[in-house]
Amino acid sequence: HSINIIINWIKVIFKSKQEKEDFNSLCVAQSSTRACNEVCNFLTSSVIDTFKGPVDGDNLQHVMMELGVRFHGALLDHLLQYQYSIVGALQLIQDLHRYKQTVHHFKEPFVEELFEGLSKLTQLLIVEPHKLRDIWDEGSLARIEHGFLVQFVKLRADYRKSNIQSKLPSYSAQVKQ
């Protein structure tokens, strides 16, 4: 199945090109990370146009939907492996902007929504700890399972130092810490 091959290659790029310092740095790069650039270039130059040739109509829509959903899942799994400083979270925002530009070419609104959701989730990494409660139940974040939100907030480099656990909504305390 060609989508499996594509997703596995994206995972290889993530693993080999993403530097741990990319998201725990003290300075923001002027562009997307190397891993992001290589994945986006791979998708736009090698994958999207390749599918658009022999596949069309509903079949193309189905293929692009499956590819987009699986790419989103691979990216999310990848991002959950890192710890994020504030500056690193800003770098992640830059990368997510590039990923969103790339999946826009999929022409699948649901896939674009998934990637927009990642951008909203990233707010949890940059907002001041005392403001976490304010955004926790807003918009698309309110639809995300609270245990996952807690897991994501724990990726913050300042999670322990800023005693963020005490600043989360009370129902998050029910989630096993």
Side-chain angles (χ1 to χ4, degrees), residues 6 13 25 50 82 94-95 103 107 110-111 113-114 124 131 137 149 171-172:
I6 293 165
I13 295 171
S25 174
T50 301
Y82 294 90
Q94 210 167 322
D95 280 7
V103 299
K107 299 191 183 325
F110 179 72
V111 172
E113 274 184 49
L114 288 175
L124 296 172
K131 293 185 178 178
D137 285 322
L149 292 176
Y171 44 74
S172 68

Side-chain angles (χ1 to χ4, degrees), residues 129-130 132-133 153 156-168:
H130 70 277
L132 277 167
R133 286 180 188 261
V153 170
R156 290 176 64 127
D158 66 344
Y159 181 78
R160 291 190 194 284
K161 185 175 119 187
S162 297
N163 194 21
I164 289 176
Q165 180 179 356
S166 68
K167 295 168 180 69
L168 298 178

Side-chain angles (χ1 to χ4, degrees), residues 19-165:
E19 301 291 330
K20 194 170 190 172
E21 311 75 66
D22 286 345
F23 302 123
N24 211 2
S25 174
L26 297 176
C27 59
V28 178
Q30 295 300 314
S31 65
S32 304
T33 62
R34 184 173 172 197
C36 174
N37 286 330
E38 291 201 23
V39 166
C40 291
N41 289 340
F42 168 65
L43 285 170
T44 54
S45 66
S46 301
V47 175
I48 297 170
D49 290 339
T50 301
F51 279 131
K52 287 184 178 176
V55 182
D56 61 1
D58 288 344
N59 289 333
L60 179 61
Q61 187 177 7
H62 176 74
V63 167
M64 298 312 286
M65 173 73 85
E66 183 177 347
L67 177 61
V69 169
R70 301 224 7 235
F71 171 41
H72 173 268
L75 177 59
L76 182 58
D77 288 346
H78 172 69
L79 297 178
L80 290 172
Q81 298 175 33
Y82 294 90
Q83 187 175 49
Y84 298 86
S85 65
I86 297 293
V87 174
L90 294 174
Q91 180 65 59
L92 176 58
I93 289 169
Q94 210 167 322
D95 280 7
L96 288 172
H97 180 72
R98 176 88 195 273
Y99 289 128
K100 289 191 307 186
Q101 288 176 324
T102 300
V103 299
H104 180 71
H105 296 291
F106 288 30
K107 299 191 183 325
E108 282 299 319
F110 179 72
V111 172
E112 290 185 62
E113 274 184 49
L114 288 175
F115 279 81
E116 185 59 35
L118 284 177
S119 293
K120 300 287 186 203
L121 197 56
T122 305
Q123 291 177 11
L124 296 172
L125 301 175
I126 61 171
V127 70
E128 294 175 46
H130 70 277
K131 293 185 178 178
L132 277 167
R133 286 180 188 261
D134 296 340
I135 66 165
W136 191 267
D137 285 322
E138 287 182 4
S140 59
L141 291 180
R143 296 184 302 232
I144 298 174
E145 197 269 316
H146 294 289
F148 179 77
L149 292 176
V150 170
Q151 178 187 0
F152 201 80
V153 170
K154 284 183 174 182
L155 299 175
R156 290 176 64 127
D158 66 344
Y159 181 78
R160 291 190 194 284
K161 185 175 119 187
S162 297
N163 194 21
I164 289 176
Q165 180 179 356

